[in-house]
Amino acid sequence: MELKGNFLLVAAIDFGTTYTGYAYSTRKEFQTDPLKINMMTWNAGSGGLVSQKTSTCVLFKPDETFHSFGYKAEDNYTEQVLDGDYEDWFFFRRCTKNINKNLMLRTSDGKEMSAIKVISAVIGYLKGHLMETIKTQGVDVSESDIRWVVTVPTIWSDAAKQMMREAVERTGIARNQLILALEPEAASMLCKNLPEVLLLYEHCTDKVDTFRSGAKYMVFDAGGGTIDITVHEVLKGGFLKEIYAANGGDWGGTKVDEAFEEFMESIVGKAAFQHFKDNDIPSAIDLQRYFEVKKKTFTGEDIGTKTTLIVPCSLLKSFRKYNRGKQIADAIEVYHCSTDVEWKRDKVRLSQKKTLTLFEQSFKHITEHVCEILSKPEVKDCEAILMVGGYSECSLLQDAIRTIAGGIRLIVPSDANLAVLKGAVINGHCPDTVSERICKYTYGTDSRKRFKEGVHRKDYRVIDESGEICCKNSFSSLVKKGTHINIGTSSFTDTFSVATLGQTGMCFGLYASTSVDPLYITDASCQKIGAITLDMPDTSLGLDRGARVTMYFGGSEVELKAVDKHTGNEIRACFDLLG
């Protein structure tokens, strides 16, 4: 389905694991200055935070209707807890990892709600918030005049991306007004439009022509939940070619948060820490907010200095409740050295060595993965690594990447945490910038193939009406994993025949597999993306009937079309495809 062309404004939503925000620009603003992007300012009353993104937290009333989002949700839930009226409310925090259509999100106290309902409510709130904002600022634009861009992590499956699209469409946003954008690609579009990029390398600052034709660079998008990586080559005209398939893992900043909680738990004990989180929810929220900001300030400089963390006094009270007669210093000595960890009243002090251990697992996965990518022949001559995303603002992570980068330039744009969001706005105005991608999956449909003894499963052996021995549930590939796809022009076609004389229709399921050559649609590597059914009511030609099935690749969708080879009747449907 083609995007609606006559839009007046592009609005982007970056729905992150830890932080979420929206931004927009009118077509006129973009034509004057692509970097003139309007941002929202969010305030957290209890924490005193002011930022251009808000926390990914959402609060629902006991009847499961939406109440509030972001810092307001945190503050409102805190008030509900202090009033003693919170047990029937639904408070979700960090709710976008590993999603799918059937996923049930769980609150910290065990209540559940469907992921698609939660995400749709959040998108609906942000949509309404934006419409009120532009109205207040005197921008005369109707909903039908807006092109929406919603960012998604690289590592999400196609099924997860489809679920996100459905969640957005539930808010009333039409399919032809919506783009789903890969986060690192969006960030790349921002950096490409910056008037100059500052190089942070060997403590020097220079201008770098990273985006000249022929240049190769890696986009390293480090967010709260995921690390998303892609490698681009700049083509003539400023178009981008993906030369290494977008990939990544769930090694983002929340891994450090988890390590911090595990560290605190190792001192006070699991029961005491859980008691603290259950019985002093406002302080637990404040501690999480505090550490999310604090971890970005850690540096590898000044060896020998200590990091001071402020912790709620109620955590120490919980320790004493579950460890009668035991001193906190004694508890520290069980798993840690007193020279590395000190606890005095509301302050915990960590040595630099102990501070670094909080980042160990995250850094290990990240550095091993980046090293593996840089060793690939197709990534040879990569000149720069663009570090974007909130986690990229952490000096320790920059140091870790710098250590393995060798002579490759390390580039961290200002406001790296906003690069994806701002880039998504630019993506909305220029959706065709990425002209070539590498297929992350093998795509195909279900079929019956001639049965091969010793190759096919015996329980899939069937005999069709013509007497031919076939294998059912076969995977018939349309395009294989690793294929270079020219966005908007690549298509792949195959022909299929009916299986029975009286068959009055053909159903074609679209499947994606992580294997290059999957054998069956039932393989563990396969997942069903969708299906289309072509009606064939005229059975007079018997088995001499069939259809041509074609797969077209668009910017953010794949279109599956089936055409009756005799009548020319056709059916088509669109599915999300960003891999």
Side-chain angles (χ1 to χ4, degrees):
M1 180 179 293
E2 290 187 6
L3 284 170
K4 182 179 178 181
N6 56 334
F7 66 94
L8 299 178
L9 181 146
V10 169
I13 296 174
D14 181 15
F15 190 26
T17 302
T18 309
Y19 293 102
T20 293
Y22 71 76
Y24 65 92
S25 72
T26 65
R27 177 178 276 186
K28 184 177 181 180
E29 286 173 329
F30 179 78
Q31 291 170 345
T32 303
D33 178 6
L35 297 176
K36 184 172 175 49
I37 298 170
N38 303 283
M39 305 291 296
M40 178 62 192
T41 299
W42 305 87
N43 297 281
S46 66
L49 296 174
V50 178
S51 64
Q52 291 179 306
K53 282 187 178 182
T54 189
S55 61
T56 306
C57 298
V58 57
L59 181 64
F60 287 83
K61 300 174 185 177
D63 63 358
E64 298 191 17
T65 56
F66 175 84
H67 181 272
S68 51
F69 177 72
Y71 293 136
K72 281 189 176 181
E74 290 182 333
D75 293 341
N76 289 330
Y77 187 57
T78 295
E79 291 301 318
Q80 294 296 131
V81 171
L82 294 174
D83 290 340
D85 178 26
Y86 70 96
E87 293 184 354
D88 295 328
W89 290 66
F90 294 76
F91 179 67
F92 297 98
R93 195 168 192 271
R94 297 177 176 172
C95 53
T96 62
K97 285 173 67 174
N98 305 317
I99 67 169
N100 61 66
K101 192 171 183 178
N102 301 315
L103 177 68
M104 299 297 290
L105 296 180
R106 186 185 295 267
T107 64
S108 61
D109 57 356
K111 294 189 290 293
E112 292 186 336
M113 193 179 295
S114 72
I116 194 167
K117 178 178 180 178
V118 173
I119 293 173
S120 183
V122 171
I123 298 294
Y125 165 75
L126 294 171
K127 173 189 171 187
H129 197 287
L130 179 137
M131 295 307 297
E132 285 295 319
T133 299
I134 61 175
K135 182 179 178 181
T136 301
Q137 296 183 354
V139 180
D140 185 19
V141 174
S142 66
E143 290 188 19
S144 61
D145 294 325
I146 299 176
R147 175 178 288 175
W148 295 86
V149 182
V150 176
T151 65
V152 292
T154 292
I155 65 171
W156 274 14
S157 67
D158 283 0
K161 294 162 191 167
Q162 283 191 62
M163 194 227 72
M164 175 60 84
R165 180 179 287 277
E166 184 177 332
V168 175
E169 290 178 357
R170 285 188 182 188
T171 70
I173 295 174
R175 175 175 280 264
N176 67 349
Q177 291 178 247
L178 175 62
I179 296 173
L180 294 186
L182 287 177
E183 292 173 355
E185 288 187 355
S188 181
M189 291 185 197
L190 172 74
C191 296
K192 182 173 165 294
N193 280 275
L194 291 174
E196 64 181 48
V197 179
L198 296 181
L199 165 67
L200 305 182
Y201 180 67
E202 297 293 338
H203 305 290
C204 296
T205 303
D206 300 304
K207 289 184 181 179
V208 185
D209 186 13
T210 307
F211 300 99
R212 71 184 188 284
S213 180
K216 298 178 182 179
Y217 62 91
M218 174 186 288
V219 183
F220 177 88
D221 175 24
T226 60
I227 303 295
D228 293 319
I229 301 171
T230 189
V231 183
H232 286 157
E233 179 180 350
V234 183
L235 305 178
K236 289 182 179 180
F239 293 100
L240 300 176
K241 171 185 177 180
E242 183 181 66
I243 59 173
Y244 190 80
N247 58 91
D250 58 346
W251 319 307
T254 54
K255 284 292 183 189
V256 185
D257 301 342
E258 291 167 8
F260 173 64
E261 289 204 3
E262 289 172 4
F263 163 72
M264 298 302 293
E265 192 176 276
S266 72
I267 297 175
V268 303
K270 189 171 185 177
F273 195 70
Q274 191 61 48
H275 177 269
F276 159 71
K277 292 197 293 183
D278 291 343
N279 292 274
D280 192 0
I281 295 172
S283 294
I285 291 174
D286 286 342
L287 179 60
Q288 291 168 334
R289 278 182 177 175
Y290 169 76
F291 187 74
E292 283 172 358
V293 175
K294 182 72 175 179
K295 71 186 177 190
K296 295 180 184 179
T297 67
F298 298 156
T299 69
E301 301 173 357
D302 301 324
I303 295 176
T305 60
K306 292 193 173 184
T307 299
T308 300
L309 302 172
I310 300 173
V311 296
C313 293
S314 57
L315 179 54
L316 196 53
K317 290 180 181 178
S318 292
F319 165 78
R320 289 169 180 157
K321 177 181 176 67
Y322 284 85
N323 298 272
R324 301 288 184 183
K326 191 174 183 180
Q327 298 298 313
I328 194 70
D330 298 329
I332 290 173
E333 286 287 356
V334 174
Y335 295 107
H336 311 281
C337 178
S338 59
T339 58
D340 288 329
V341 183
E342 296 178 75
W343 192 322
K344 295 182 179 179
R345 294 181 293 277
D346 65 341
K347 293 180 177 61
V348 174
R349 304 188 72 214
L350 307 181
S351 66
Q352 187 188 56
K353 176 184 175 183
K354 181 59 68 175
T355 300
L356 291 174
T357 63
L358 301 179
F359 294 82
E360 265 182 4
Q361 285 302 308
S362 174
F363 286 2
K364 180 177 183 294
H365 288 296
I366 290 170
T367 54
E368 288 178 354
H369 192 67
V370 172
C371 282
E372 181 184 357
I373 294 174
L374 292 175
S375 69
K376 301 294 183 182
E378 57 267 43
V379 184
K380 183 183 178 183
D381 301 326
C382 177
E383 299 177 15
I385 299 176
L386 303 183
M387 291 188 67
V388 297
Y391 192 19
S392 285
E393 294 179 341
C394 174
S395 296
L396 293 179
L397 178 57
Q398 293 174 19
D399 291 342
I401 298 299
R402 185 177 287 110
T403 298
I404 62 173
I408 299 174
R409 303 184 185 104
L410 186 66
I411 299 172
V412 187
S414 59
D415 293 328
N417 65 315
L418 299 175
V420 169
L421 179 53
K422 290 181 177 181
V425 176
I426 296 173
N427 190 174
H429 289 285
C430 306
D432 300 324
T433 300
V434 178
S435 61
E436 186 175 328
R437 287 198 184 100
I438 299 172
C439 207
K440 281 176 63 179
Y441 304 99
T442 294
Y443 288 91
T445 188
D446 48 333
S447 68
R448 290 186 176 188
K449 293 183 177 180
R450 184 171 297 171
F451 191 86
K452 294 182 180 179
E453 291 288 348
V455 175
H456 290 134
R457 286 172 49 169
K458 291 183 178 180
D459 57 327
Y460 284 173
R461 184 178 181 274
V462 294
I463 300 176
D464 67 17
E465 292 188 9
S466 68
E468 185 175 359
I469 301 174
C470 300
C471 178
K472 66 179 181 180
N473 295 328
S474 293
F475 191 109
S476 184
S477 298
L478 290 169
V479 58
K480 291 191 176 184
K481 178 180 179 179
T483 302
H484 286 258
I485 300 167
N486 292 310
I487 304 301
T489 59
S490 289
S491 63
F492 302 86
T493 302
D494 204 349
T495 302
F496 301 89
S497 299
V498 295
T500 64
L501 290 167
Q503 190 172 330
T504 58
M506 296 183 72
C507 181
F508 300 95
L510 178 63
Y511 293 83
S513 174
T514 53
S515 298
V516 176
D517 290 301
L519 202 54
Y520 310 109
I521 61 171
T522 55
D523 288 352
S525 68
C526 297
Q527 61 175 324
K528 189 173 184 177
I529 302 301
I532 57 174
T533 299
L534 179 65
D535 292 329
M536 307 177 77
D538 183 357
T539 62
S540 60
L541 292 175
L543 295 177
D544 186 25
R545 294 178 297 135
R548 291 185 302 277
V549 177
T550 304
M551 191 175 182
Y552 298 96
F553 289 88
S556 62
E557 289 183 323
V558 57
E559 181 181 61
L560 193 65
K561 182 177 77 170
V563 181
D564 188 315
K565 66 179 185 181
H566 289 294
T567 68
N569 292 336
E570 68 176 52
I571 185 75
R572 61 179 68 200
C574 294
F575 307 97
D576 288 307
L577 176 76
L578 292 174

